[in-house]
Amino acid sequence: MRPIVIEANTPVNAFLQSDDAIYGAGLDAFTSIGSLGTYAPKESLFWEGDLAEFQYRVVRGTVCLYKLLPDGRRQVARFCHVGDLIGLSARTNYQYTADALTDVTVQRIRRAELDAHMEDDPTLRRGVLASISEELNAAQNQLLLLGRKSASERVASFLVTMTEQAMRQGGDGHSVFLPMTRVDIADYLGLTHETVCRVFSQLKAQGIVRFSDPHDVEISDATALAVLADGDMDTRLCA
Amino acid sequence: MRPIVIEANTPVNAFLQSDDAIYGAGLDAFTSIGSLGTYAPKESLFWEGDLAEFQYRVVRGTVCLYKLLPDGRRQVARFCHVGDLIGLSARTNYQYTADALTDVTVQRIRRAELDAHMEDDPTLRRGVLASISEELNAAQNQLLLLGRKSASERVASFLVTMTEQAMRQGGDGHSVFLPMTRVDIADYLGLTHETVCRVFSQLKAQGIVRFSDPHDVEISDATALAVLADGDMDTRLCA
DNA sequence: CGACGATTTGATGTGTTTCAACGAAGGTGG
DNA sequence: CCACCTTCGTTGAAACACATCAAATCGTCG
C-alpha cells in the first residue's frame, strides 16, 4: 500500500533544461497569460477528483499522472515533459492525480481564460487540439503495450520512448536520464518494480544498455532495443 | 495468427437502433455535410497507416478500433457505438484499423471540410473537443484496467461499461447485447478468449449474470458486478 | 448432411508476481 | 561526526494467475 503523503524534503534529481528547448506551436497563450508555479519532487499539482480549476504546461522538470484503485494499486497514465499540456479535459474535475517527479516549473492558466482565448485564437485552438490528440495517440500505443506486450518488450518500448523524448529536448540519443524511480516505471508499464529491475539487468547482460547509475542509461544498441520493443525494424532510432 | 481478410458474408447480428437515439451536442455538421456509408460485419472502414481522408460518426451498429503487432498480436483500443466519432487526430494517417462488427452506418466527412466548419462553428468545435477528450478519458481508464486489474475485474468492468453504454442508448440496464465475439472482448481486455469464457462462467455460477445466448447478457446483480469491477461501491449501476 | 467458426471446459505450462533478503545512498538526530 | 533510519535498487526462491494446448459441443450455412 503506497502512502498518500506529500513530502517536500527528498533528493532532487538535477534535470534542468534550458527554456529555449520549449516547443509547442501556437501555445503562446500559456506564456502570455499563464502564471508560473513551481513544485518540489513528490509535491502534487492536483488530485484526482479535484475541481479542475487550472490547466498546465510544463516548463521544466517531469510530472507523473496516475490513477489509483481503492486498494492502492496504481497506474501511471503518462510522464509529462517540457512542453506537455496537463489537465485538458471537458470534465469539471481532474481525472487523475499529478505529482512532480523532479523540481518542476509550470505555466498555469485558468480553464475559463484558456477557453476564452481559444475562442479568439485559431492557432491556439489548433495547438490545443493537436496536443490532446497526440496525448490520445500515446495512450492508444500504451494500451497495446499494456494489453499485449511482454515485460521485456514493455521495458524496451519505454526506453525507446524516453530516448525519443530526450532527443526532442536536444539529447544525443545515447545517454538518457530517467527522472522516475523503478516503482514509477513499473506502475507505468503495468509490472512490478522487481520485474523492471530484472529486465534492466537482462538488457545490461546483453550489452544493449549500460547504467552509470540507476537514473542514467546509456543506449549501446538502439537497434536491438527497437527490435525488442516492437518485434520490428522500422524505427527512427537505428544506429 | 489472425488472418487479415475482409469477408462480407458473415452472420449478421441484428443490432438495430432507432435514429432518434443518436446523441452528441453540436455535431450537426456531420449530419448536414457528411455522406452516409454502410459496412457489413468484418468490413474495414480503414486500416492503420492509411491516409486519413475522412472522419466518421457512427449512426448505427458497432465499430472496433485496434492495433496489431508485427506477429499478429492484437489490442482493441475501443468499441465505437452510436454517436461516437472516429478518426479524429492531428496525424495525416490513421493510427489504428477500424472494422465493422455489425451492420454499420456512418456519416463520413472529409477532414478538410470538418476543419473548415470548425473554424466557423464554435459549437461544433466544442463538440469535437468534448468528444476527443472523453475518448482520452476512456483510454486512461482502460490503461488502469490493462495495467492493474485482474481478469475478473476486467470482465466485470467491461460488462459495467457495456451496460452504461446500453442505458445511454435507451436500454433498461438489465439485458445487454454484446455485438462482439469472445476474441474481440479478449483483445480489448488484454486476455485470451478462453479466460474471458471462464470468467463469464464464474459470473454465471455466482448468479451475477445470465446468458440466454453468447451475445445476450442479463445482469442479475449489478451491485456485485460493480464491486468486482472496482473493489468499490460508488456506482451508478446499483440495483 | 458435412464443414466451419465460435464457444466452452479441462489439463498443463510458464512468465510474472509475491515474498524475502541484502546493499547502497542520503537524510536525520544525537 | 557518526549511528540510525528510511528509501531505493537489486537479486533469489517459491507461488500463482493466466496462457497455452487440446478437445468436445453447438449453431449456422452451403
Side-chain angles (χ1 to χ4, degrees), chain A residues 169-186:
Chain A
Q169 300 298 322
D172 61 2
H174 291 292
S175 174
V176 181
F177 180 67
L178 308 176
M180 64 293 285
T181 68
R182 297 293 186 262
V183 172
D184 292 328
I185 297 173

Side-chain angles (χ1 to χ4, degrees), chain B residues 75-150:
Chain B
Q75 179 62 41
V76 171
R78 188 156 69 111
F79 295 117
C80 297
H81 309 279
V82 173
D84 288 340
L85 303 187
I86 303 175
L88 297 172
S89 167
R91 299 283 185 92
T92 55
N93 298 76
Y94 294 117
Q95 298 298 303
Y96 41 72
T97 302
D99 284 1
L101 288 181
T102 63
D103 280 306
V104 163
T105 306
V106 295
Q107 288 160 345
R108 222 169 31 180
I109 186 172
R110 286 188 182 278
R111 278 174 72 102
E113 277 188 82
L114 182 61
D115 288 348
H117 278 260
M118 281 173 63
E119 291 297 322
D120 305 333
D121 182 349
T123 311
L124 175 62
R125 283 204 297 266
R126 280 190 284 269
V128 169
L129 194 61
S131 173
I132 196 170
S133 113
E134 271 314 297
E135 193 177 338
L136 177 60
N137 231 309
Q140 287 167 340
N141 288 328
Q142 195 70 357
L143 291 180
L144 178 60
L145 181 149
L146 292 173
R148 289 303 180 213
K149 289 189 184 179
S150 70

Side-chain angles (χ1 to χ4, degrees), chain A residues 97-129:
Chain A
T97 302
D99 284 1
L101 288 182
T102 63
D103 280 306
V104 163
T105 306
V106 294
Q107 287 160 348
R108 222 168 31 182
I109 186 172
R110 285 189 183 279
R111 279 175 70 103
E113 277 188 83
L114 182 61
D115 287 348
H117 278 259
M118 281 174 62
E119 292 297 322
D120 304 333
D121 182 349
T123 311
L124 175 63
R125 283 203 296 266
R126 280 189 284 268
V128 169
L129 194 61

Side-chain angles (χ1 to χ4, degrees), chain A residues 46-66:
Chain A
F46 53 80
W47 291 89
E48 178 176 355
D50 282 358
L51 188 66
E53 216 177 338
F54 293 99
Q55 298 179 328
Y56 301 83
R57 185 181 184 214
V58 179
V59 173
R60 183 182 63 117
T62 307
V63 176
C64 171
L65 311 184
Y66 62 88

